[in-house]
Amino acid sequence: MLCPPPGALGRSKTLDYLVAVPDKVFHGHYANFCRRVAWPILNYQIPDSPKDRAYQDTSWDEYTQMNQAFARVIAHNWNSGDCVWVHDYHLALVPAMLREKVPDACIGFFLHCVFPSSEVFRCLAQRNYILQGLLGADLIGFQTEEHRLNFVRTCRRLLHVETRQDMIYAKERTVRVRSFPIGIDASRLNHTLQSPHVKNWKNQVTREYGDKSLVVARDRLDLVSGLKEKLLAYERFLSCYPSWVGKVVLVQIGLPSMGSAGLAEELSRIVTRINSAHASVTYQPLIFFTHDISYPQYLALLSAANVATVFGQSAFLVNPWDTRQCAQAIRDALELDTDEAEQRCQTIYDTVQREGAVGWCQLFLTTLRSNRVERVASPGMTGAESLLPEILTSLRLEPQNRRLIIVDEDVVADCQQSEAQSLIWSMMEDLTSSIQNTVYMTSTRLPEELCQAFQDNPNLGLIADHGCMVKWAGSSRWDSVHGTQKSYRYTSGVASILAYFQERTPGSWVESRQCSFVFHYDSSWSFAKRQAACLSDEVHGCYGGQIIQVLLGPDTVTISPAGVDLGAAGQAVLHRLEAIDDKGCFSGPKTNIILVGGGAEYESLFQWGSGLDRSEIGQVTMIHSGTGRTQAPWTLEGTMTGVHDILQFLTSRDHIRYAPGEEMSEGSHLFTKRIASLVSPEEETEYDW
């Protein structure tokens, strides 16, 4: 599905493009791989017979060819500004294939069926190819939050990728994963229900079954639909609750499906057994259609039914393999009092009205296009050197303003030449010596390590241990951003999980820090990488994202409380700076903020910077060092030249923006004192937040 830009939608014609493939490819793709291999596994049915394996072995090539054919046609007809929306598991490889052909394409994917747990999906031989195919998209959508979480967990376990909230960081790309509950066109359905054709059928159904309770179901004739289990549950219901015999009728519609001949014979025997045991001259408990009926007939049946067996909200939830529980649920639904039945129906109706098909489509496309806008707005996709003039222009400072600079230690220290590194540290000292600059360096190291490394520059503020601890600029004092480790309730449980994986991962060791645990492993060993992914997934599964966060790094797994990150540390630093202003220590009206860093953990800082109220602060400049998707508007792809030029610019006179004809006086440069030095030690605790 090619979606033109919003402005062109009203004036564009709908165009259909033919994707032509040989019959053998089509049959192998759909009848063999999709229906006999992928569909069962996605619905928790593991194909384990030799026949199933043969289908899997012979049909994967056809599945790949069909996906490649779609990708070619889409790429050929794609225009700049188009959004590509790929639907369902039949085309799971298309996003990655299209990404290779059109790297800048805006691609979305939505799965219309279940996505199973990682334990089931990993039974598919081509599991990694399908996951990597899906991760070619910018946005992946699922029906429910459960399916989304299953997918994220599967990617963590099988591909060893890092995940955070609704983002997956894979192969220098960031993919957003969200749930988009799909609905129906409720207004159109209401209109159809009022048609004379439907009303006529409803009258006939009422006359036929008016004195009996009606149960209606419509399912495919395959193993995945659970039709066999449903009929067995109904048989048990009639046996366990004989008072309902003669008072209830199940109308079951079976939709023909490929390879359903054997199942149809078994279902026929069950139907015969039920009707033989409970039917009479005037009563048949089960009416079974082995073909579909017209849409008006089906709507008439649903309108007249007392109970419908569907997947839905406010339903009686059951384990479909537990026939006793299912039989009891049928009884409970039939005996439900009128008020509760109306309340449940109203809840379903409200949900359908709120989450209809049109709203679902608009929400998905809006989210997809917002991803595209973010990517287009990031000039960092081009060469770093060509961006420097624009970046430097954005860094110019009004004379009366001041700066808050937060920079990653790895970005500054990542220089192999000692002379260049010495020059960079010299420029850092120049930055911290100006009263207009408040400079903080972030690091994954512990406070004691950083104190020793930067003892020669007391004016430099330090943020240690992934944002947990802060040494205030111009002070020797360290504070915890979120209290002490003793207050975190998760520690004992996480420690047990870490001990379990450490015992089973040779060469690994666990470091307990003030606010976090760090699991160190040998990334050159594939088994250790798998164990690290499993550890990350296990902690996610036990605690979710509510109270802790897990960062899967190249050779570490860091576990810390939710909210303990660089974004929270940035807020703490800004809050302290504003508290100093309240004492009248700085007369400048605005604070320009500059954030420079790389890696997934820096995204929390960029997110914080993006959410700042621009009416209260000055310019916010965010520079991402490295590759991959980022929330930062600027990207310098791993070049030290760019970082060197930025630091040199900030320490020069060129960074001040003057009015025409205005000159900078010697005194206005203010290379004198640090802001923090204007606050006495006795007053310092007053500004803790």
Side-chain angles (χ1 to χ4, degrees):
M1 178 178 178
L2 278 172
C3 306
L9 192 58
R11 62 178 184 271
S12 298
K13 296 181 179 179
T14 300
L15 301 177
D16 297 323
Y17 301 103
L18 176 66
V19 180
V21 296
D23 290 345
K24 179 179 181 294
V25 173
F26 179 81
H27 184 78
H29 164 270
Y30 182 75
N32 289 348
F33 189 83
C34 288
R35 298 302 303 173
R36 297 181 183 274
V37 179
W39 175 251
I41 280 186
L42 290 173
N43 288 273
Y44 289 89
Q45 302 284 331
I46 301 175
D48 58 355
S49 68
K51 188 176 182 180
D52 289 327
R53 293 197 187 97
Y55 281 124
Q56 183 167 294
D57 292 341
T58 59
S59 60
W60 174 249
D61 288 343
E62 286 82 6
Y63 182 84
T64 303
Q65 291 174 42
M66 176 67 86
N67 278 256
Q68 194 64 260
F70 270 85
R72 281 196 301 269
V73 172
I74 296 171
H76 179 72
N77 294 281
W78 179 86
N79 294 307
S80 179
D82 287 347
C83 288
V84 181
W85 191 0
V86 184
H87 288 264
D88 226 5
Y89 68 100
H90 310 82
L91 302 175
L93 304 182
V94 168
M97 291 176 172
L98 182 61
R99 181 69 61 195
E100 291 182 0
K101 301 175 186 299
V102 190
D104 294 332
C106 177
I107 305 172
F109 180 91
F110 187 82
L111 185 68
H112 289 263
C113 63
V114 174
F115 193 92
S117 65
S118 60
E119 292 79 6
V120 173
F121 189 81
R122 69 191 310 156
C123 297
L124 183 62
Q126 294 83 8
R127 60 194 190 186
N128 284 12
Y129 295 108
I130 290 178
L131 293 177
Q132 290 164 352
L134 295 175
L135 291 178
D138 297 293
L139 173 66
I140 303 176
F142 295 90
Q143 291 262 24
T144 69
E145 187 67 9
E146 178 187 358
H147 301 163
R148 184 193 75 83
L149 291 173
N150 283 345
F151 176 77
V152 171
R153 182 177 186 181
T154 300
C155 289
R156 279 200 305 263
R157 287 208 141 187
L158 300 184
L159 301 183
H160 310 153
V161 295
E162 181 192 347
T163 64
R164 279 194 173 190
Q165 298 176 347
D166 63 346
M167 309 296 273
I168 295 179
Y169 301 90
K171 286 192 173 180
E172 302 180 352
R173 297 189 65 256
T174 303
V175 182
R176 178 165 292 171
V177 185
R178 285 188 52 183
S179 59
F180 297 87
I182 187 173
I184 61 173
D185 190 340
S187 59
R188 183 177 179 183
L189 178 60
N190 282 328
H191 182 267
T192 306
L193 286 172
Q194 304 306 317
S195 68
H197 203 28
V198 174
K199 288 183 176 180
N200 179 51
W201 276 110
K202 183 178 179 181
N203 291 333
Q204 294 185 50
V205 170
T206 303
R207 284 196 300 268
E208 182 71 22
Y209 306 105
D211 60 338
K212 296 178 178 63
S213 295
L214 195 61
V215 181
V216 176
R218 184 172 178 264
D219 304 277
R220 284 188 176 275
L221 289 170
D222 60 23
L223 293 172
V224 170
S225 68
L227 183 50
K228 174 185 173 182
E229 289 74 21
K230 184 184 298 183
L231 294 181
L232 291 175
Y234 184 66
E235 181 181 32
R236 185 157 197 155
F237 162 74
L238 293 174
S239 300
C240 294
Y241 308 102
S243 62
W244 277 100
V245 175
K247 301 178 181 179
V248 63
V249 175
L250 168 61
V251 179
Q252 175 66 61
I253 303 165
L255 306 179
S257 181
M258 293 182 179
S260 61
L263 176 63
E265 293 177 4
E266 187 175 3
L267 295 177
S268 180
R269 289 194 294 270
I270 298 174
V271 171
T272 301
R273 189 170 68 232
I274 293 173
N275 284 330
S276 299
H278 303 288
S280 65
V281 176
T282 59
Y283 172 66
Q284 183 177 338
L286 174 57
I287 299 173
F288 186 72
F289 292 90
T290 56
H291 58 81
D292 201 3
I293 62 176
S294 68
Y295 188 54
Q297 290 182 67
Y298 181 56
L299 291 182
L301 281 171
L302 288 177
S303 299
N306 300 87
V307 176
T309 59
V310 295
F311 297 103
Q313 186 182 13
S314 295
F316 288 90
L317 302 180
V318 296
N319 176 0
W321 284 273
D322 187 344
T323 57
R324 183 184 298 274
Q325 184 189 36
C326 292
Q328 184 177 345
I330 296 174
R331 194 264 326 252
D332 293 342
L334 289 169
E335 296 179 355
L336 198 64
D337 66 79
T338 304
D339 290 342
E340 185 176 352
E342 289 180 353
Q343 182 180 359
R344 286 172 177 262
C345 288
Q346 187 63 46
T347 301
I348 297 173
Y349 181 80
D350 292 342
T351 301
V352 168
Q353 291 281 35
R354 184 177 61 253
E355 300 177 352
V358 175
W360 164 78
C361 181
Q362 291 175 342
L363 178 60
F364 188 95
L365 290 177
T366 299
T367 307
L368 179 59
R369 288 189 174 112
S370 69
N371 272 19
R372 178 179 181 275
V373 169
E374 289 173 6
R375 186 174 69 253
V376 171
S378 175
M381 299 300 150
T382 59
E385 283 70 17
S386 63
L387 299 175
L388 280 173
E390 296 180 60
I391 296 177
L392 298 182
T393 299
S394 71
L395 296 177
R396 292 188 180 276
L397 183 68
E398 300 293 341
Q400 73 274 19
N401 286 4
R402 52 116 183 265
R403 289 195 188 94
L404 170 60
I405 303 171
I406 303 178
V407 61
D408 186 8
E409 178 190 16
D410 292 338
V411 171
V412 177
D414 187 17
C415 185
Q416 302 300 323
Q417 299 179 0
S418 58
E419 293 183 2
Q421 194 176 72
S422 176
L423 179 60
I424 288 177
W425 290 122
S426 175
M427 288 189 289
M428 289 292 292
E429 290 183 5
D430 287 344
L431 280 178
T432 58
S433 66
S434 170
I435 195 171
Q436 285 188 293
N437 296 326
T438 301
V439 185
Y440 280 82
M441 181 173 291
T442 66
S443 175
T444 60
R445 294 198 283 173
L446 294 174
E448 51 268 27
E449 298 177 73
L450 293 178
C451 281
Q452 184 175 1
F454 300 105
Q455 57 184 345
D456 294 334
N457 191 353
N459 289 333
L460 178 65
L462 299 172
I463 302 174
D465 194 6
H466 303 279
C468 174
M469 303 293 296
V470 177
K471 183 192 86 71
W472 309 111
S475 170
S476 60
R477 171 179 170 171
W478 284 88
D479 282 330
S480 173
V481 176
H482 285 272
T484 63
Q485 185 185 26
K486 296 183 179 62
S487 65
Y488 301 136
R489 295 171 293 163
Y490 74 90
T491 53
S492 59
V494 169
S496 300
I497 298 174
L498 287 167
Y500 174 89
F501 279 92
Q502 182 185 359
E503 291 174 359
R504 290 158 178 80
T505 311
S508 66
W509 57 283
V510 177
E511 180 183 6
S512 178
R513 296 187 171 186
Q514 176 73 17
C515 305
S516 62
F517 290 103
V518 182
F519 178 85
H520 299 262
Y521 64 94
D522 183 0
S523 59
S524 63
W525 190 23
S526 60
F527 174 75
K529 292 177 68 175
R530 283 200 305 272
Q531 288 291 88
C534 289
L535 166 62
S536 172
D537 179 64
E538 185 70 21
V539 176
H540 269 290
C542 291
Y543 295 94
Q546 299 301 314
I547 61 174
I548 65 169
Q549 55 193 6
V550 183
L551 178 65
L552 178 60
D555 52 11
T556 60
V557 179
T558 304
I559 304 167
S560 59
V564 177
D565 53 31
L566 295 182
Q571 179 60 31
V573 167
L574 181 61
H575 183 90
R576 181 181 176 86
L577 207 55
E578 291 171 343
I580 293 175
D581 279 356
D582 290 341
K583 296 291 291 184
C585 300
F586 197 91
S587 58
K590 297 280 188 176
T591 299
N592 287 8
I593 296 177
I594 302 171
L595 310 175
V596 184
E601 67 172 13
Y602 238 77
E603 292 305 303
S604 65
L605 190 63
F606 293 144
Q607 184 176 11
W608 166 75
S610 301
L612 289 172
D613 187 351
R614 302 303 171 89
S615 65
E616 298 181 358
I617 60 173
Q619 179 77 22
V620 179
T621 303
M622 299 181 289
I623 305 169
H624 176 253
S625 175
T627 57
R629 290 281 303 278
T630 177
Q631 298 181 70
W634 305 101
T635 296
L636 296 176
E637 298 182 353
T639 170
M640 278 304 300
T641 303
V643 176
H644 176 278
D645 290 347
I646 289 172
L647 294 177
Q648 188 176 47
F649 177 80
L650 292 176
T651 56
S652 70
R653 296 163 59 100
D654 296 334
H655 73 279
I656 305 294
R657 182 187 287 113
Y658 296 98
E662 182 181 358
E663 292 292 336
M664 182 182 72
S665 65
E666 193 67 32
S668 66
H669 207 44
L670 296 177
F671 285 132
T672 53
K673 300 179 180 178
R674 295 292 306 140
I675 295 175
S677 67
L678 300 176
V679 184
S680 67
E682 294 78 16
E683 296 173 309
E684 193 165 34
T685 56
E686 186 178 336
Y687 310 118
D688 296 343
W689 67 297

